[in-house]
């Protein structure tokens, strides 16, 4: 990466917004809010509205044409993932306007759901290098998992309700006929066999619902966490939901730090990356991508 875009800018910026109009409950016209905010500024903006027919190659080509300093994802974690895929490995910085049902990456950088403050950060925030994961040829910036949560994501995407009501209904449906997985993890030179409710590949720390699943991780180090939830416990859930700075019980929730892992499952298992359900899998390969991109924080 070069240093063209990673320093603080006093000169006008070229800003490329990727807006997902289907994210969240969409009570705000984000394209209008962005246009009004920058109307009296020297910065040049381009707004790309996502449609069901958008391809990542088309967006990449459009970004190359406009040569922005910063690309801004306006949506939830899925939109952030898409924007990151368009600029990973470049010197273009990524910023976030949280507008989805799940805004986990926004939580990671303590970004509030306030459009004006988020747009101010787009201009004034400082880019900082973060790592990412490559999981079965997909990019993950935040949290990927197999098992229970991925099943909830699948159920949630099929519902009309958004927000916490939708998540509650999806969770209730996912709990029906739920069974533990049999997993084999090849990690740090060892093979670990477990029965688990879910296994998380954690680049970040906190789900968009506020559940802090990873209490030792960071976007800015040189490793990620593999979290094995062996069984759900009321006390462990309390720790996660209220972000208590207490280590999880290793007999119930085990955390292993690494820079790569291979996972095999006995059963076809629900799989999601950054809030996007990707189907069922029996094999996963995950590897750290150090200094993958710059994030405005």
């Amino acid at each position: 990466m070069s240093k063209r875009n990673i320093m603080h800018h006093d000169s006008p910026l070229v800003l490329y917004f990727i807006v997902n109009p289907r994210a969240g409950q969409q009570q705000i016209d984000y394209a209008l809010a962005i246009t009004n905010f920058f109307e009296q500024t020297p910065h040049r903006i381009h707004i790309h509205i996502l449609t069901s027919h958008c391809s990542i190659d088309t967006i990449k080509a459009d970004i190359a044409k406009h040569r922005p300093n910063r690309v801004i994802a306006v949506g939830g974690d899925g939109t952030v993932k898409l924007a990151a895929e368009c600029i990973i490995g470049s010197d273009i910085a990524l910023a976030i306007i949280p507008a989805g049902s799940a805004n986990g990456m926004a939580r990671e950088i303590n970004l509030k759901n306030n459009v004006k403050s988020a747009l101010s950060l787009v201009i004034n925030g400082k880019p900082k290098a973060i790592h990412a994961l490559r999981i079965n040829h997909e990019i993950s910036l935040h949290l990927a998992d197999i098992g229970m949560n991925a099943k909830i994501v699948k159920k949630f995407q099929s519902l009309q309700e958004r927000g916490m009501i939708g998540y509650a209904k999806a969770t209730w449906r996912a709990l029906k006929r739920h069974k533990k997985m049999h997993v084999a993890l090849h990690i740090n030179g060892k093979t670990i066999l477990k029965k688990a409710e879910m296994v998380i590949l954690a680049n970040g720390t906190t789900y968009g619902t506020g559940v802090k699943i990873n209490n030792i991780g960071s976007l800015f180090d040189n490793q990620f966490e593999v979290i094995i939830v062996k069984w759900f416990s009321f006390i462990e859930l309390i720790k996660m939901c209220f972000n208590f700075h207490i280590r999880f019980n290793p007999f119930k929730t085990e955390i292993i730090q690494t820079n790569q892992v291979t996972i095999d499952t006995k059963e076809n298992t629900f799989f999601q990356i950054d809030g996007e359900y990707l189907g069922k899998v029996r094999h996963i390969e995950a590897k750290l991508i150090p200094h993958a991109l710059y994030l405005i924080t």
Side-chain angles (χ1 to χ4, degrees):
M1 300 183 189
S2 76
K3 296 184 178 181
R4 181 175 73 91
N5 293 317
I6 65 174
M7 303 302 291
H8 181 72
H9 288 265
D10 295 320
S11 57
L13 294 166
V14 180
L15 306 171
Y16 188 101
F17 291 84
I18 299 176
V19 179
N20 183 357
R22 298 177 302 281
Q25 299 180 23
Q26 290 299 311
Q27 296 174 342
I28 298 171
D29 185 335
Y30 285 96
L32 180 60
I34 292 163
T35 301
N36 289 342
F37 183 90
F38 288 100
E39 192 171 26
Q40 301 299 322
T41 74
H43 307 295
R44 183 157 58 89
I45 68 169
H46 176 78
I47 299 175
H48 183 100
I49 306 294
L50 292 176
T51 69
S52 57
H53 304 294
C54 279
S55 75
I56 191 169
D57 289 336
T58 300
I59 301 171
K60 282 182 176 180
D62 201 39
I63 290 172
K65 182 177 73 174
H66 286 88
R67 301 189 72 245
N69 302 98
R70 298 178 178 187
V71 165
I72 303 92
V74 185
D77 289 328
T79 309
V80 174
K81 177 180 183 294
L82 172 65
E85 288 172 339
C86 291
I87 61 174
I88 193 165
S90 75
D91 63 342
I92 301 172
L94 173 68
I96 301 169
I97 308 295
S101 297
N103 301 298
M105 276 298 290
R107 285 180 179 271
E108 294 290 339
I109 57 175
N110 297 315
L111 187 59
K112 307 302 180 186
N113 290 344
N114 180 287
V115 178
K116 288 187 177 180
S117 65
L119 287 169
S120 294
L121 186 66
V122 167
I123 304 169
N124 300 312
K126 296 184 178 181
K128 190 171 181 180
I130 66 169
H131 61 251
L133 302 183
R134 188 174 299 281
I135 306 173
N136 287 10
H137 309 295
E138 292 274 347
I139 296 298
S140 174
L141 285 190
H142 191 223
L143 295 166
D145 53 55
I146 56 173
M148 184 62 191
N149 182 68
K151 188 177 181 181
I152 293 171
V153 170
K154 179 181 185 295
K155 299 294 183 184
F156 178 76
Q157 291 181 349
S158 68
L159 296 175
Q160 295 296 321
E161 294 91 345
R162 299 289 89 181
M164 293 307 295
I165 293 175
Y167 274 110
K169 185 177 285 189
T171 300
W172 175 254
R173 292 186 179 184
L175 284 170
K176 295 179 181 179
R177 296 186 296 275
H178 174 68
K179 295 181 180 180
K180 288 188 178 183
M181 308 174 293
H182 296 79
V183 296
L185 299 101
H186 310 284
I187 184 169
N188 298 336
K190 299 179 181 178
T191 296
I192 301 171
L193 304 177
K194 296 286 183 183
K195 288 180 68 177
E197 304 280 2
M198 55 190 286
V199 177
I200 304 100
L201 303 174
N203 202 39
T205 65
T206 307
Y207 282 115
T209 54
V211 173
K212 192 178 185 70
I213 195 69
N214 180 9
N215 57 14
I216 62 172
S218 169
L219 292 171
F220 308 108
D221 57 15
N222 59 356
Q223 58 196 349
F224 65 95
E225 286 70 44
V226 178
I227 302 165
I228 309 163
V229 180
K230 288 175 272 193
W231 66 76
F232 291 117
S233 152
F234 178 74
I235 293 176
E236 295 295 281
L237 288 173
I238 290 294
K239 292 177 188 176
M240 294 172 186
C241 290
F242 293 96
N243 295 346
F244 292 142
H245 296 288
I246 304 172
R247 287 192 177 272
F248 299 144
N249 183 335
F251 294 103
K252 299 175 182 178
T253 306
E254 185 176 353
I255 302 180
I256 304 170
Q257 293 183 306
T258 187
N259 57 20
Q260 63 181 40
V261 64
T262 300
I263 303 173
D264 293 299
T265 65
K266 183 178 179 181
E267 308 85 0
N268 288 326
T269 306
F270 297 96
F271 174 47
Q272 72 86 22
I273 294 180
D274 294 358
E276 180 183 356
Y277 179 68
L278 297 177
K280 290 186 175 182
V281 296
R282 294 184 68 176
H283 180 79
I284 287 176
E285 295 181 11
K287 187 174 183 179
L288 188 84
I289 309 172
H291 304 291
L293 55 80
Y294 293 102
L295 179 67
I296 302 294
T297 63

